[in-house]
Amino acid sequence: KDRKQKLKLGFRFQIVGGQVSVRDVRVLESTLGDAALEACMTRAVAGATFVDRNMPDWSSTAEDEETLVVRISTLKRFGPATD
């Protein structure tokens, strides 16, 4: 597959009581050509959470949307070994 393929996601943060989570994840752009892979990666991002007790309660607005670009080339180290 083409190593230049990418998936660009839009999302917002929600922080409540130090629990940071991701919400409203959506595909903004994709050159993957694989709907199942896109859905899997979108679910993984949507399920991301961590705790930081120093963070104030806060939620991103639509105007504050974050973006994440995942390029297949950066995932190379997680793929099968090649010569």
Side-chain angles (χ1 to χ4, degrees):
K1 293 218 171 193
D2 183 5
R3 296 266 184 209
K4 293 184 182 200
Q5 291 175 316
K6 69 179 180 182
L7 176 65
K8 183 176 181 180
L9 299 173
F11 64 93
R12 294 193 263 168
F13 285 113
Q14 181 169 345
I15 307 165
V16 178
Q19 181 74 34
V20 182
S21 59
V22 176
R23 63 186 179 97
D24 301 330
V25 180
R26 63 190 180 95
V27 175
L28 299 176
E29 178 184 354
S30 178
T31 60
L32 298 181
D34 185 331
L37 180 57
E38 291 170 9
C40 178
M41 294 173 82
T42 300
R43 281 192 308 274
V45 171
T49 64
F50 65 92
V51 175
D52 184 339
R53 298 288 176 214
N54 295 318
M55 297 291 287
D57 287 358
W58 180 76
S59 292
S60 303
T61 64
E63 295 79 34
D64 294 326
E65 185 174 65
E66 304 289 335
T67 58
L68 172 68
V69 177
V70 180
R71 296 187 187 279
I72 296 301
S73 61
T74 61
L75 301 175
K76 180 180 178 183
R77 66 181 169 202
F78 301 107
T82 59
D83 291 331

